């Protein structure tokens, strides 16, 4: 199975490398950095959407599924990128945003103009009473999930921003259109697809959420979800033996993921689930801070590793993406132990069973942006929630602090290549300001550093490519009750690999029968193996025995 030796690198193209001096990353910029990615060793790149979009949600509001936004480049640029990537053993994964389109998309515009065919592409409903939306669902970006259209005296559903109208997947024409789009990109040589919030496409019913919550129970992992995915698979990428697909699954369950990403289910190759990235949400609330709950994190990893493995299903492994704050700031220590903790987090993740994803800048330990002023933010979610939190009575200072920890812009600031202006991303003002950390934390420094995070990632990647036990080995949790250490074993034939990780800035001691094991990777020098060992702050050790 091809997915098992893949390491996917995620590029947020708007922030990777600008080459034509407009402060906006472009395809040529990515081409100019392919040697860097080859050196890192990854074999797949997932690109966030580069197609035509008003950019209200940075490309997740699609206005044309088949055209590049000229700010990124042209089809010729893309073909050059695909060729140059292939030469370096790198494949390409595109992002398919099929739960919704931009309200600027031709379909929605036709719907608004009264074309019945296209009106049926979307979810329009009558309100409960004049001025009252069809139900109490909340948009994921704050406020009601419904927007009123006076002309029809109806409301359309938008689970995200009001400029992102939900498509009606019960309509077979919508499903056909989506398959056609996948096939269009397949004809351009794309084998990889990431499906955006794909477990929200089947809505169960449109009743009020009795818990006065956001309504997610009525549209998450809905009743026809698996049917739709099987159909999409059959009518598009499933015909390509080389395909690699991943679904972004919001608030999902293992039971559903077993089907989404089970070996014989004919849906997807793997899933992103997010439970492990909510352990620092107080009462499950994204905008309420608490320190990461380590025991929950550990339990979630163990549960998903074992749950998926027992059903022959496959996880995507990730700490970071364009929607999450930076992991080194969140689960590590981005000051005193930045290098140690960045490496520990990397090893803890990469040695698990699944396909690892590296988000741009993670391989050099980029921390959160820590913006201090709301005007520095661009993200629609951050700007919306800023207003809501102020309204709820929080002070400006409190809200900025929350955004410093939680905003998606923490991950979206320009890639830090060197210490020149804007971190070498662009010689003009970037669309989103560079994080001030670029002066010290950048690719140039990291490549030269003796204890380089980049070099550590290189090793992890090489291990996955070369070691069947990393690709195939079964996962068994170890030291489950330990309050500081996350540890597990992988087993394959007569081999064993043990990964032990100290998630704390203090020492931690453990006991395991380690006779015959050798250390194959660690983030400190001089590790001596014995049955009882003391780990230093954020120490990680990978042990191997045959
Ligand atoms: C996904 C994307 C996110 C986007 C949302 C709506 O969660 O990763 O960036 O805002 O879907 O498309
Ligand atoms: Ca540019």
């Amino acid at each position: 199975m091809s997915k098992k030796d893949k390491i996917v690198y995620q590029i947020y193209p708007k922030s990777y490398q600008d080459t034509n001096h407009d402060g906006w990353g472009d395809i040529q910029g990515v081409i100019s950095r392919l040697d860097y990615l080859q050196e890192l060793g990854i074999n797949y790149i997932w690109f966030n959407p580069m197609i035509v979009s008003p950019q209200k949600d940075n490309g997740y509001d699609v206005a044309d599924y088949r055209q590049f936004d000229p700010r990124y480049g042209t089809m010729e640029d893309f073909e050059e990128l695909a060729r140059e990537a292939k030469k370096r053993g790198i494949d390409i994964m595109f992002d398919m945003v099929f739960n919704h389109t931009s309200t600027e998309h031709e379909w929605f515009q036709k719907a608004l103009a009264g074309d019945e065919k296209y009106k049926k592409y979307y979810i329009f409903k009558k309100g409960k009473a004049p001025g009252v939306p069809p139900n109490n669902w909340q948009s994921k970006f704050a406020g009601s999930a419904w927007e009123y259209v006076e002309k029809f005296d109806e409301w359309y559903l938008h689970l995200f921003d009001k400029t992102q109208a939900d498509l009606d997947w019960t309509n077979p024409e919508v499903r056909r259109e989506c398959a056609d789009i996948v096939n269009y990109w397949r004809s351009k040589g794309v084998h990889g697809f990431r499906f955006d919030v794909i477990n929200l496409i089947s809505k169960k019913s449109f009743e009020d959420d009795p818990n006065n919550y956001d309504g997610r129970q009525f549209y998450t992992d809905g009743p026809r979800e698996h049917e739709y995915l099987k159909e999409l698979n059959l009518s598009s990428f499933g015909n390509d033996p080389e395909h690699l697909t991943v679904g972004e699954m919001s608030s999902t369950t293992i039971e559903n993921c077993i089907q989404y990403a089970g070996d014989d289910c004919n849906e997807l190759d793997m899933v992103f689930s997010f439970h492990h990235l909510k352990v620092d949400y107080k009462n499950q609330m994204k905008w309420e801070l608490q320190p990461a709950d380590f025991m929950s994190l550990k339990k979630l990893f163990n549960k998903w590793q074992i749950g998926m493995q027992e059903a022959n299903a496959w996880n995507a492994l990730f700490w970071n993406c364009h929607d999450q704050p930076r992991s080194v700031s969140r689960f590590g220590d981005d000051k005193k132990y930045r290098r140690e903790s960045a490496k520990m987090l990397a090893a803890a993740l990469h040695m698990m069973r699944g396909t690892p994803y590296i988000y741009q800048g993670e391989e050099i330990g980029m921390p959160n942006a820590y913006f201090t002023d709301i005007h520095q933010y661009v993200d629609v979610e951050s700007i919306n929630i800023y207003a809501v939190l102020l309204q709820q009575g929080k002070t400006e200072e409190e809200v900025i602090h929350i955004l410093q920890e939680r905003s998606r812009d923490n991950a979206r600031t320009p890639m830090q290549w060197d210490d020149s202006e804007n971190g070498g991303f662009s010689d003009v003002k970037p669309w989103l300001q560079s994080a001030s950390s670029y002066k010290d934390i950048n690719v140039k420094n990291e490549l030269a550093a003796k204890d380089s995070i980049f070099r550590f990632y290189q090793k992890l990647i090489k291990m996955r490519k070369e070691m069947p036990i990393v690709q195939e080995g079964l996962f068994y949790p170890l030291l489950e009750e330990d309050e500081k250490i996350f540890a597990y074993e992988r087993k394959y034939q007569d081999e064993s690999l043990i990964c032990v990780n100290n998630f704390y800035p203090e020492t931690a001691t453990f006991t395991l029968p380690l006779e015959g094991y050798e250390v194959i990777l660690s983030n400190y020098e001089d590790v001596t193996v014995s049955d009882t060992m003391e780990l230093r702050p954020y120490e990680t050790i990978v042990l191997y025995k045959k």
Side-chain angles (χ1 to χ4, degrees):
M1 259 303 228
S2 68
K3 65 192 175 191
K4 297 190 175 167
D5 63 359
K6 296 291 180 283
I7 303 93
V8 186
Y9 184 89
Q10 183 191 350
I11 290 189
Y12 200 67
K14 205 170 172 179
S15 292
Y16 206 55
Q17 179 69 68
D18 173 27
T19 54
N20 64 343
H21 322 285
D22 60 358
W24 182 294
D26 42 56
I27 297 176
Q28 285 300 329
V30 175
I31 296 175
S32 74
R33 296 298 182 180
L34 286 172
D35 286 341
Y36 168 77
L37 295 172
Q38 184 179 23
E39 190 180 348
L40 182 58
I42 54 99
N43 44 22
Y44 239 100
I45 304 174
W46 152 31
F47 289 96
N48 294 97
M50 296 189 277
I51 46 186
V52 176
S53 152
Q55 295 288 319
K56 185 74 195 189
D57 188 22
N58 285 351
Y60 287 92
D61 45 335
V62 178
D64 184 340
Y65 285 101
R66 291 177 172 82
Q67 301 278 340
F68 287 104
D69 184 318
R71 287 170 286 196
Y72 290 111
T74 62
M75 192 57 82
E76 288 67 47
D77 291 321
F78 168 70
E79 281 160 7
E80 182 184 343
L81 167 68
R83 250 188 341 266
E84 289 301 318
K86 196 79 211 171
K87 270 190 213 161
R88 293 164 177 84
I90 298 173
D91 273 303
I92 286 173
M93 174 183 281
F94 269 6
D95 212 317
M96 299 287 116
V97 187
F98 289 159
N99 177 66
H100 44 264
T101 73
S102 165
T103 49
E104 287 186 23
H105 193 287
E106 190 188 1
W107 302 337
F108 195 80
Q109 288 301 313
K110 285 188 176 160
L112 279 188
D115 186 331
E116 276 305 316
K117 170 179 156 83
Y118 290 101
K119 214 175 151 212
K120 290 195 192 118
Y121 276 33
Y122 296 92
I123 302 172
F124 281 92
K125 300 250 178 249
K126 288 282 175 219
K128 280 200 268 195
V132 185
N135 65 33
N136 65 354
W137 298 1
Q138 294 294 297
S139 146
K140 293 190 184 272
F141 292 162
S144 169
W146 298 90
E147 184 70 9
Y148 184 62
V149 180
E150 200 179 341
K151 182 171 171 186
F152 305 138
D153 186 27
E154 283 177 344
W155 305 66
Y156 67 85
L157 178 69
H158 62 88
L159 295 182
F160 293 87
D161 188 61
K162 64 170 188 265
T163 63
Q164 295 166 294
D166 278 53
L167 285 165
D168 184 358
W169 273 69
T170 64
N171 181 346
E173 294 199 39
V174 165
R175 307 204 295 272
R176 204 167 311 129
E177 296 269 15
C178 291
D180 283 353
I181 293 162
V182 175
N183 287 329
Y184 173 79
W185 288 107
R186 286 180 54 217
S187 78
K188 299 282 170 198
V190 177
H191 299 290
F193 297 97
R194 177 246 188 204
F195 294 97
D196 189 60
V197 289
I198 198 67
N199 67 329
L200 308 186
I201 55 176
S202 166
K203 278 80 176 168
K204 182 169 148 202
S205 63
F206 292 91
E207 58 208 271
D208 269 340
D209 191 327
N211 311 321
N212 223 353
Y213 198 40
D214 58 5
R216 72 179 64 175
Q217 58 167 309
F218 298 106
Y219 57 73
T220 306
D221 299 322
R224 296 184 66 187
E225 188 63 49
H226 297 288
E227 172 198 333
Y228 294 157
L229 281 174
K230 285 189 172 61
E231 183 185 302
L232 183 65
N233 175 314
L234 256 181
S235 50
S236 63
F237 59 83
N239 301 307
D240 173 3
E242 277 179 57
H243 74 254
L244 189 75
T245 54
V246 55
E248 184 200 21
M249 304 302 176
S250 170
S251 303
T252 190
T253 61
I254 294 193
E255 292 67 40
N256 275 291
C257 287
I258 282 170
Q259 285 194 58
Y260 293 139
D263 263 358
D264 303 314
C265 292
N266 295 318
E267 294 187 20
L268 301 171
D269 289 319
M270 64 187 104
V271 286
F272 290 120
S273 67
F274 292 86
H275 301 283
H276 66 296
L277 297 178
K278 295 182 180 171
V279 297
D280 52 1
Y281 291 8
K282 194 169 168 186
N283 309 319
Q284 297 284 329
M285 307 283 274
K286 176 164 181 175
W287 307 105
E288 306 222 355
L289 306 180
Q290 74 171 20
D293 176 347
F294 173 66
M295 291 314 273
S296 301
L297 178 72
K298 211 170 124 150
K299 282 197 190 103
L300 282 162
F301 274 141
N302 290 339
K303 181 172 152 198
W304 278 79
Q305 283 284 301
I306 295 167
M308 294 291 272
Q309 156 173 305
E310 282 176 346
N312 290 319
W314 201 247
N315 287 302
L317 307 170
F318 70 110
W319 286 118
N320 293 284
C321 72
H322 64 294
D323 293 330
Q324 298 289 330
R326 294 279 181 180
S327 57
V328 69
S329 304
R330 194 173 180 185
F331 300 107
D333 174 342
D334 62 9
K335 312 246 158 21
K336 187 165 176 203
Y337 294 111
R338 190 178 65 88
R339 286 215 168 88
E340 291 83 353
S341 62
K343 291 177 192 172
M344 182 280 289
L345 292 170
L349 192 90
H350 280 243
M351 292 295 103
M352 281 196 270
R353 181 175 176 279
T355 298
Y357 284 66
I358 301 167
Y359 178 68
Q360 65 181 49
E362 177 184 333
E363 76 281 15
I364 58 165
M366 271 174 69
N368 280 345
Y370 296 124
F371 288 151
T372 52
D373 189 315
I374 189 62
H375 297 110
Q376 294 172 293
Y377 289 90
V378 173
D379 175 26
V380 55
E381 181 191 47
S382 304
I383 291 167
N384 289 356
I385 204 67
Y386 172 80
V388 171
L389 296 177
L390 284 182
Q391 229 169 37
Q392 289 173 359
K394 292 212 160 55
T395 66
E396 165 90 21
E397 203 186 343
E398 284 166 340
V399 180
I400 291 293
H401 177 59
I402 292 172
L403 291 180
Q404 287 180 338
E405 298 292 329
R406 292 289 146 85
S407 168
R408 305 193 296 180
D409 280 342
N410 283 306
R412 297 178 178 185
T413 52
M415 180 66 181
Q416 299 175 183
W417 296 105
D418 57 39
D419 59 3
S420 68
E421 198 168 358
N422 307 317
F425 162 70
S426 177
D427 52 12
V428 303
K429 191 170 171 255
W431 70 276
L432 171 70
Q433 188 178 325
S434 297
S436 53
S437 61
Y438 76 77
K439 297 203 178 66
D440 303 313
I441 301 171
N442 56 57
V443 167
K444 195 170 154 217
N445 283 350
E446 211 51 46
L447 287 175
K450 192 171 103 288
D451 51 354
S452 160
I453 302 168
F454 179 93
R455 302 283 172 220
F456 193 85
Y457 270 86
Q458 262 182 331
K459 288 182 195 153
L460 288 168
I461 292 168
K462 194 158 179 278
M463 285 162 73
R464 177 160 298 264
K465 283 180 169 169
E466 293 175 357
M467 298 175 71
I469 191 169
V470 176
Q471 298 167 10
E472 307 269 351
L474 291 178
F475 174 97
Y476 299 91
L478 294 174
L479 308 173
E480 278 176 90
E481 304 309 318
D482 195 290
E483 285 173 7
K484 286 185 186 162
I485 298 172
F486 173 52
Y488 54 87
E489 179 175 8
R490 303 284 306 279
K491 284 191 198 173
Y492 179 73
Q493 296 175 354
D494 54 353
E495 297 170 53
S496 160
L497 180 149
I498 291 179
C499 180
V500 194
N501 308 284
N502 179 6
F503 269 71
Y504 285 86
E506 307 96 40
T507 57
T509 308
F510 71 93
T511 304
L512 282 174
L514 291 179
E515 205 191 310
Y517 281 88
E518 54 166 329
V519 178
I520 55 170
L521 187 70
S522 85
N523 58 348
Y524 280 84
E525 314 237 300
D526 358 295
V527 183
T528 317
V529 182
S530 62
D531 286 357
T532 296
M533 293 178 70
E534 184 174 90
L535 295 173
R536 288 157 280 192
Y538 297 105
E539 183 161 0
T540 177
I541 313 175
V542 183
L543 301 132
Y544 175 80
K545 180 171 109 170
K546 191 174 163 128

